[in-house]
Amino acid sequence: MKNPLSFLMRKQIYQKVEQIDGIEFKFRKNPLSKCLRILLSESNIVLVTMPKRISFKYAKDFALKNLDEIKTVIKNRPPKDYSIDGIEFKTREDYKKYLRQKAKIYLPKRLEEIAQNFGYKYNSLTLKFMKSRWGSCSYKNNINLNISLVTLESELIDYVLLHELVHTVEKNHSEKFWSRLLLNMPDARIRRRALKSRKVI
């Protein structure tokens, strides 16, 4: 009988971690990789991904050949600003933890206020970090909000919340959607343009 976990086993990643000149290197073997690749994470950890057939020694030698270039990239990277509400955080993890706590306090309450003010109903609310969206609404009216919303001004937060609430009635960005949104928030297009200039963390 075929092992139902065989596919997952084939995708298993084997990893070694080393410190080289004060820089953390993570060497990963992945059967799905076709070539040797070097990536630099936001926290300046060097990720070296390699096909299964390549040895860790070969990958390390390859990384060492590029060490000077890696150091130059790290040196020239602008410092990350992990600060909000007058508080500076040393790590991204601490910063995100604070944002999560703030979001849990503010976003559910504000979403409910706006929903009641304009007569919208939603099924559930989920808060999470998203890579490319500020929010979403499913066909079952389950709303997802990006925790990073709490880094925005209140006017932009309200725009996103109302935007998703309107989707509980209008499921796409049709003329009916925009007519309803603009009726509830006449300056919605201005807020939308301002939101586009902001990046999700």
Side-chain angles (χ1 to χ4, degrees), residues 123-124 136-144 164 167-168 171:
N123 183 37
S124 66
S136 65
C137 179
S138 74
Y139 272 88
K140 293 184 178 181
N141 293 339
N142 298 320
I143 291 179
N144 297 304
E164 302 311 332
H167 275 311
T168 63
K171 298 303 182 183

Side-chain angles (χ1 to χ4, degrees), residues 31-46:
L32 299 181
S33 296
K34 295 182 178 180
C35 61
L36 192 61
R37 297 176 60 193
I38 295 179
L39 296 174
L40 187 64
S41 72
E42 290 188 0
S43 54
N44 291 332
I45 296 175
V46 181

Side-chain angles (χ1 to χ4, degrees), residues 89-119:
F89 299 90
K90 293 182 178 180
T91 68
R92 179 181 175 86
E93 289 71 25
D94 290 341
Y95 178 59
K96 292 178 71 174
K97 182 179 179 181
Y98 179 84
L99 295 184
R100 185 178 287 105
Q101 293 172 344
K102 184 175 181 179
K104 286 181 178 179
I105 295 172
Y106 181 77
L107 294 179
K109 180 181 177 181
R110 186 56 181 157
L111 181 67
E112 186 61 28
E113 289 174 349
I114 295 176
Q116 290 184 6
N117 287 342
F118 294 102

